[in-house]
Amino acid sequence: MNPFCFRKNPTNPVIEPSDFPCSIMYAFNPGAIKVGDEYLMVMDVATLAQPVVFWLARSRDGVDWKVDPEPLDWPAADHTHSEDCVYDPRVTPDPDNPGAYLLMYASSSEKTGCRLGIVRTWDFREFERIGIVSEQGNRNGVIFPEKINGKYVRLDRPFGDPNDACGIWISYSPDLIHWGCSKEVMGPRAGLWDNLKVGAGCVPIKTEKGWLNIYHGVTNTGAGLIYRLGVCLLDLEDPSIVIARGEDAVLWPEHLYELTGRVPNVVFTCNAIVEPDNSVKIYYGAADTCIGLAESSLDELLDACVRKNALVLRPL
Ligand code: BMA
């Protein structure tokens, strides 16, 4: 069994700030999907003047990307909230509207803090606001691609003080606007690579064995945080139940473009693309500065969900 289940593309980073038609500072944390034969990604972009906005890029082969001339035409916030900055878009096919997509994202404002927002789009040009759907102090929201027991389901990561430990929670909704029945799904693990914070990464992938999630885990080294990715499997009918959670990280910062940048030592993903041959692509933010591509397969990721690490010290 190969412990390195992701292979990073040798041409990484596949998108970097110099690929943009105008000067920007950083491009990272994309939500990426495949529509027909075309790959699309909506990414976080820090412009020279503003905090983070969303920007679209397209590709025919998943490696060479063409970045749009301008940021997305993002709908203005209504009177109910303010939004200075948007980031970390997760793109889910809309379970009720074939051909449409829901973007769940972090909506941040100096006045009201960070909350989760949802918009719907049919063409990635126009975006219809569904609403701001969490309390203050929440991000890393991910909507499942199917309703479960008639309800929309999401994972998210509520937080208090940004340096406190936090875990992945689940909530349910009849209409995408009102969410409830929230409970914790999994938290950090003492002694392992994800011992401080864990948050949902990609939109969950339905497999015969359960909902596969590639999640991020954070550890504090004393000299700063490290963001890595791991895998877990949630029950198909009741995704608040964790069936399996691999002990090993499956992707971690190791190359210069992942180790240095706006925020060093970060790999972070928002979506995974399953190809017809069951290979899996993730596009990931590297050091909150540029974007890498890593490839694996469903089989390798499912194996990684049940893998123990023989070197972990266990109580006698
Ligand atoms: C998380 C999010 C991500 C970011 C990561 C590392 O909390 O804010 O957007 O990539 O921190 O800075």
Side-chain angles (χ1 to χ4, degrees):
M1 199 165 24
N2 175 9
F4 303 108
C5 53
F6 271 111
R7 291 158 290 282
K8 293 178 184 175
N9 194 283
T11 67
N12 276 353
V14 291
I15 294 195
E16 49 192 331
S18 58
D19 296 326
F20 281 67
C22 59
S23 298
I24 60 125
M25 284 194 281
Y26 315 106
F28 54 107
N29 296 2
I33 52 162
K34 197 172 179 186
V35 183
D37 284 340
E38 189 176 43
Y39 297 87
L40 290 182
M41 69 163 79
V42 177
M43 65 196 127
D44 297 353
V45 168
T47 64
L48 301 192
Q50 292 192 56
V52 179
V53 296
F54 288 147
W55 211 298
L56 187 81
R58 296 169 187 273
S59 171
R60 282 282 160 199
D61 63 4
V63 177
D64 285 324
W65 289 84
K66 189 160 173 18
V67 177
D68 268 8
E70 290 178 347
L72 290 185
D73 186 11
W74 196 245
D78 62 25
H79 66 282
T80 58
H81 73 287
S82 66
E83 191 172 81
D84 314 327
C85 168
V86 291
Y87 57 98
D88 298 354
R90 269 84 177 191
V91 186
T92 301
D94 184 340
D96 277 344
N97 294 292
Y101 293 88
L102 300 170
L103 266 72
M104 185 166 239
Y105 65 99
S107 166
S108 174
S109 119
E110 279 177 27
K111 252 193 262 164
T112 51
C114 186
R115 295 184 288 170
L116 292 170
I118 306 179
V119 299
R120 178 182 286 118
T121 185
W122 295 83
D123 55 8
F124 290 89
R125 289 181 204 291
E126 289 180 24
F127 298 84
E128 165 207 344
R129 278 189 182 273
I130 306 285
I132 296 295
V133 297
S134 76
E135 298 296 315
Q136 180 175 339
N138 204 328
R139 58 182 159 219
N140 297 307
V142 177
I143 302 172
F144 282 68
E146 281 180 19
K147 285 171 142 175
I148 300 174
N149 301 321
K151 297 266 173 31
Y152 296 97
V153 186
R154 82 173 194 225
L155 302 174
D156 60 22
R157 199 191 77 180
F159 63 94
D161 184 284
N163 294 320
D164 285 352
C166 48
I168 298 177
W169 285 61
I170 196 163
S171 301
Y172 303 86
S173 171
D175 55 9
L176 289 174
I177 296 166
H178 305 92
W179 292 85
C181 300
S182 308
K183 66 171 167 173
E184 189 171 28
V185 175
M186 65 186 218
R189 291 179 296 191
L192 298 192
W193 59 274
D194 51 0
N195 64 351
L196 180 63
K197 307 181 198 192
V198 289
C202 70
V203 169
I205 301 167
K206 192 173 195 183
T207 75
E208 278 174 9
K209 296 189 173 163
W211 291 104
L212 171 67
N213 197 246
I214 304 170
Y215 70 94
H216 65 264
V218 184
T219 194
N220 194 343
T221 65
L225 305 180
I226 305 180
Y227 279 70
R228 304 179 176 103
L229 301 181
V231 281
C232 64
L233 205 53
L234 308 179
D235 187 80
L236 283 179
E237 318 248 293
D238 179 356
S240 70
I241 299 171
V242 180
I243 304 173
R245 181 174 177 184
E247 275 184 0
D248 291 347
V250 296
L251 199 88
W252 57 92
E254 52 187 332
H255 301 296
L256 205 55
Y257 63 90
E258 300 158 333
L259 298 169
T260 63
R262 175 185 182 240
V263 182
N265 301 318
V266 176
V267 295
F268 191 95
T269 194
C270 294
N271 273 97
I273 296 173
V274 182
E275 300 283 12
D277 64 357
N278 282 345
S279 60
V280 176
K281 285 189 175 64
I282 58 164
Y283 294 92
Y284 62 96
D288 286 9
T289 296
C290 58
I291 293 170
L293 161 64
E295 291 178 83
S296 184
S297 67
L298 274 186
D299 284 348
E300 286 169 292
L301 294 171
L302 289 171
D303 281 350
C305 286
V306 292
R307 188 176 304 145
K308 298 260 179 235
N309 187 313
L311 303 178
V312 170
L313 298 176
R314 296 173 207 285
L316 293 173

